[in-house]
Amino acid sequence: MGEAVELEVAGRTVRLSNPGKIFFPEHGYTKLDLARYYIAVGPGILRALRDRPTTLQRYPDGLNGEWFYQKRAPKNMPDWIPRAHITFPSGRSADEMCPTEEAAVLWAAQYGTLTFHPWPVRRDDVDSPDELRIDLDPQPGTDFDDAVRAAHELRAVLDEFGGLRGWPKTSGGRGLHVFVPIEPRWTFTQVRRAAIAVGRELERRMPEQVTIKWWKEERGERIFVDYNQTARDRTIASAYSVRPRPHAPVSAPLSWDEVGVAHPQDFDITTMPARFAELGDVHADMDVHRFSLDALLELASKDERDHGLGDLPYPPEYPKMPGEPKRVQPSRAKKAAPPEDEPRETPPEPTAP
């Protein structure tokens, strides 16, 4: 695997052990290839991670080895990498790393980190998201092209409700993500409510192509707007993150002109450095914008007031939330209920003392 090497990025030196270890066997990409990739896109991924509590998706022995999510900052993390104290839905808490230098990304790559999962908050206010993240997730029978069509309609929805602007990127798989920078003055619950409103409006406009149904059995061959990706402790892979697939794809920031032209297969650890050298970070201006969710939250109120559309189910590991419907998939709920033509059991009359 070779002797350790020292790599320098933005004025800081990071030691990389076992640089020849194979991380992507299909193409022979090594740990050193991964590290050099993150150096090449350093300013871009740092923009996506800066000051954000970040979960590390680690593959210490490469793609074919065991892997895990590391939420708590490792004990051996250098003092120059800040931490933020965050609270999970369970009530437990942890200190997570918050990159402020490109070298922090390289340090994480040394320990086998392929994908970085940042929270939509900054370390100075970990309870107020500053991004609305929309995840367009293709279901079986659909593909990236279907997600592209949904993304263009999503762009129109965002503009109509508050003049919002989204920044699109590939997921690194078949889907698309659209991030909207927002003012950090709403809670996770409110931001999730805004995401539900977006999903419902998109579903109304494209009922045969888009769904916001939580239960897989109800989604059909449509693009799922995964509103629960905005719940506390749910994260989305950052821009420029490497994804754990054989060809080492990356989550690629796009301009809107590229949505429908570019394809996820275009972007991996060998092609993205050249693109970044030519174009730089095409999402570099995200942080100079901050939008309001007022119009989307008003749409959510209108949906509830006029159509009886309230909250939707949370993921199963979350505590029961106020106003949340039952977390029972429809097919099971039907089996549990007696048929309409059968009399329901009536409780016995109370007897006199």
Side-chain angles (χ1 to χ4, degrees):
M1 297 183 188
E3 296 182 2
V5 297
E6 291 188 340
L7 301 174
E8 186 158 331
V9 56
R12 196 179 289 279
T13 300
V14 176
R15 183 178 182 273
L16 193 78
S17 63
N18 300 321
K21 179 184 284 188
I22 301 296
F23 267 35
F24 293 88
E26 185 170 301
H27 292 280
Y29 301 147
T30 65
K31 186 178 182 180
L32 183 58
D33 293 327
L34 177 70
R36 285 174 172 163
Y37 164 75
Y38 277 127
I39 291 174
V41 299
I45 192 166
L46 180 61
R47 187 269 311 157
L49 301 178
R50 189 188 301 275
D51 285 321
R52 298 189 184 281
T54 300
T55 297
L56 309 178
Q57 189 173 358
R58 292 178 54 190
Y59 287 75
D61 294 315
L63 191 63
N64 290 347
E66 293 185 3
W67 65 275
F68 57 95
Y69 290 107
Q70 179 143 11
K71 295 187 176 185
R72 298 178 185 275
K75 292 181 179 179
N76 64 339
M77 192 172 75
D79 292 339
W80 51 267
I81 302 179
R83 297 164 171 80
H85 194 71
I86 48 92
T87 303
F88 303 116
S90 64
R92 296 179 180 178
S93 61
D95 291 329
E96 286 204 355
M97 73 175 294
C98 297
T100 56
E101 302 181 34
E102 295 171 38
V105 177
L106 189 58
W107 177 86
Q110 147 66 14
Y111 291 96
T113 300
L114 298 188
T115 309
F116 295 82
H117 295 266
W119 282 47
V121 301
R122 309 282 181 168
R123 62 190 172 108
D124 60 350
D125 186 357
V126 296
D127 295 315
S128 302
D130 68 347
E131 286 181 346
L132 169 65
R133 299 172 174 180
I134 308 298
D135 181 5
L136 300 175
D137 185 9
Q139 301 302 290
T142 64
D143 57 20
F144 182 74
D145 291 336
D146 296 302
V148 164
R149 285 186 280 273
H152 282 298
E153 189 61 39
L154 170 63
R155 186 185 186 188
V157 170
L158 292 173
D159 182 63
E160 184 174 333
F161 290 92
L164 307 183
R165 176 184 168 192
W167 277 255
K169 68 182 185 70
T170 67
S171 67
R174 299 188 307 137
L176 272 167
H177 302 150
V178 178
F179 285 12
V180 180
I182 60 174
E183 301 164 6
R185 60 186 179 92
W186 291 278
T187 65
F188 278 94
T189 302
Q190 290 171 312
V191 173
R192 179 178 174 275
R193 191 166 184 247
I196 290 173
V198 167
R200 282 177 169 150
E201 181 62 23
L202 196 57
E203 186 180 52
R204 280 190 285 265
R205 298 183 183 199
M206 304 179 71
E208 301 302 318
Q209 294 83 37
V210 172
T211 182
I212 199 170
K213 299 291 187 184
W214 175 246
W215 304 107
K216 290 183 179 180
E217 64 186 33
E218 295 186 304
R219 293 178 191 170
E221 295 183 359
R222 292 180 286 183
I223 298 298
F224 172 49
V225 181
D226 191 352
Y227 61 90
N228 269 330
Q229 290 297 88
T230 55
R232 179 186 287 271
D233 193 33
R234 281 299 181 99
T235 55
I236 292 177
S238 77
Y240 301 103
S241 271
V242 179
R243 305 315 308 274
R245 293 180 174 85
H247 62 292
V250 304
S251 179
L254 303 175
S255 67
W256 277 108
D257 289 341
E258 293 178 300
V259 177
V261 177
H263 192 275
Q265 293 285 345
D266 299 336
F267 309 108
D268 59 35
I269 65 171
T270 65
T271 61
M272 180 57 81
R275 171 183 167 88
F276 193 88
E278 178 183 358
L279 302 178
D281 180 13
V282 297
H283 286 187
D285 62 335
M286 269 189 70
D287 287 346
V288 303
H289 297 272
R290 285 290 177 267
F291 296 98
S292 171
L293 291 181
D294 287 342
L296 285 179
L297 292 174
E298 175 55 35
L299 175 62
S301 296
K302 184 174 184 294
D303 280 343
E304 186 168 7
R305 182 178 63 249
D306 297 348
H307 305 291
L309 300 174
D311 202 358
L312 292 173
Y314 274 79
E317 72 272 18
Y318 280 63
K320 184 70 175 177
M321 300 295 287
E324 180 190 359
K326 291 181 179 180
R327 287 185 207 167
V328 181
Q329 65 190 67
S331 59
R332 290 187 178 182
K334 290 177 183 178
K335 290 178 181 178
E340 292 186 2
D341 57 350
E342 289 186 12
R344 297 176 183 268
E345 183 177 343
T346 303
E349 293 285 339
T351 55

